[in-house]
Amino acid sequence: MLHFPDVQLFIRVSELGSISAAGRALGLSAAAASAALKRLEQRVDSQLFERSTRSLRLTQAGEDFLGYCVQAAQALDEGLAALGRGREQLSGDIHLGAPSDLGRDHLDTLLEPFRQRHPQVRLVMHLSDGLIDLFRNPIDLVLRYGLTEDSNLVGRKLCDNRRVLVASPAYLQGHGHPESFEALVGRNCICFYRNGELFNRWRLFHRGLQREITVSGDRAADDGALVRRWALEGRGIAYKSRLDVQGDLDAGRLVDIFPDATYDGSPLYVAYPSRRYQPARIKALLAYLDGVF
């Protein structure tokens, strides 16, 4: 049977990248910490870290094992909290990943009633337009537009959503409204980097035909919030998730350039590791998200 303090040490070493630093954090000498880690590796019959004089990093076995250790620690913390405060009060941290624009301008406000209902739960937001790895990062749930094929994740669709071509009224007044989708080739289009790749092949279904073009412009970013800001400032035309810009469309700050077109689908999903233990606070947030989208 595993000695749980050894597991705790393993988690801290992975966080701090140092055996001696992890030992100090847990009140252990460097020698005691090193011995504990060696004991754990012998118990699981696997090398958990690759060591050199200058670095310490997880092996593949260590990365796989770490996820289970973090889950076990979370489960134990949840049990201790329940014993101390009773089972009716939800408490603890929830680490929630989300796209930058959705998180800043929509999700944060949408989650406020949940915060008020469960004041002992702390929502920690991780905003990124890159693909967040739930196994290498301490993320409990992540919101994504579309869902990657990953057998280790459970995905639940929260709502349908589509992309939309938008520009500010000032931009359209100064440069004219594009007469056709193909006319965007000569326009300043604000491009977006998605998971490290430039997303500049835009597509829509217009007047019974599927149309696809390659666009270009004088600026691009891997942050959706910045792309939206540039569009609002009249810097060019953007291809955004409708969820991100619906408020701007309703208020007239942005204009749907081709309102009679059907754009690419980009449904919003919530994803989480399929084998991860789910504390009551996680289940409560999942139920809440199902209700508000």
Side-chain angles (χ1 to χ4, degrees):
M1 189 171 181
L2 294 179
H3 188 45
F4 192 69
D6 294 350
V7 174
Q8 290 178 306
L9 174 69
F10 168 56
I11 294 173
R12 294 309 299 271
V13 172
S14 69
E15 292 173 345
L16 300 175
S18 166
I19 296 175
S20 58
R24 287 194 299 272
L26 296 174
L28 299 173
S29 66
S34 181
L37 187 58
K38 183 177 181 180
R39 181 170 58 242
L40 179 63
E41 289 181 320
Q42 291 174 340
R43 178 64 185 83
V44 300
D45 193 27
S46 296
Q47 182 180 347
L48 301 177
F49 290 97
E50 291 181 357
R51 303 167 175 83
S52 71
T53 56
R54 294 186 177 181
S55 66
L56 182 75
R57 66 184 184 90
L58 287 165
T59 62
Q60 185 59 57
E63 289 185 1
D64 295 341
F65 187 52
L66 178 62
Y68 293 102
C69 291
V70 171
Q71 293 170 41
Q74 289 176 341
L76 182 58
D77 287 344
E78 182 78 8
L80 292 172
L83 288 174
R85 291 186 293 270
R87 298 182 183 274
E88 298 302 318
Q89 179 72 59
L90 296 181
S91 63
D93 290 352
I94 300 177
H95 290 261
L96 178 63
S100 61
D101 224 359
L102 181 72
R104 291 188 183 102
D105 299 311
H106 187 61
L107 187 61
D108 186 51
T109 300
L110 201 65
L111 288 172
E112 194 56 35
F114 182 87
R115 294 187 182 99
Q116 297 297 325
R117 191 179 306 165
H118 304 291
Q120 298 302 315
V121 174
R122 185 176 71 159
L123 287 173
V124 183
M125 305 288 287
H126 299 261
L127 303 184
S128 172
D129 288 310
L131 193 61
I132 300 175
D133 189 327
L134 275 71
F135 292 91
R136 296 190 181 186
N137 297 282
I139 309 296
D140 298 299
L141 304 171
V142 65
L143 299 184
R144 290 177 176 172
Y145 289 122
L147 194 64
T148 58
E149 301 262 343
D150 191 333
S151 60
N152 293 318
L153 295 180
V154 173
R156 181 187 304 183
K157 188 166 78 169
L158 294 176
C159 66
D160 289 318
N161 176 55
R162 290 191 177 275
R163 297 187 182 278
V164 59
L165 277 166
V166 296
S168 71
Y171 175 86
L172 295 176
Q173 182 178 2
H175 298 82
H177 197 292
E179 296 180 359
S180 68
F181 185 53
E182 288 74 18
L184 294 179
V185 172
R187 295 300 186 94
N188 194 48
C189 294
I190 306 169
C191 295
F192 177 69
Y193 277 88
R194 186 170 57 182
N195 300 322
E197 295 185 3
L198 183 63
F199 180 49
N200 65 341
R201 297 277 307 168
W202 293 358
R203 182 175 61 186
L204 53 66
F205 299 87
H206 194 215
R207 297 170 184 170
L209 296 175
Q210 176 179 307
R211 302 170 185 272
E212 184 173 311
I213 60 171
T214 300
V215 299
S216 62
D218 67 355
R219 65 193 65 212
D222 63 357
D223 182 273
L226 182 55
V227 170
R228 172 175 166 264
R229 195 188 84 188
W230 283 336
L232 288 168
E233 292 174 350
R235 308 296 184 184
I237 296 170
Y239 196 33
K240 289 287 295 176
S241 160
R242 183 173 283 275
L243 271 177
D244 291 344
V245 297
Q246 189 61 59
D248 300 316
L249 292 170
D250 292 342
R253 293 185 294 267
L254 291 175
V255 176
D256 182 347
I257 295 177
F258 299 113
D260 57 339
T262 301
Y263 296 94
D264 274 349
S266 186
L268 181 66
Y269 285 83
V270 60
Y272 49 91
S274 59
R275 295 188 298 272
R276 179 170 292 178
Y277 164 78
Q278 286 187 343
R281 62 182 179 273
I282 304 295
K283 294 177 181 178
L285 181 56
L286 281 170
Y288 179 81
L289 291 172
D290 275 334
V292 297
F293 279 103

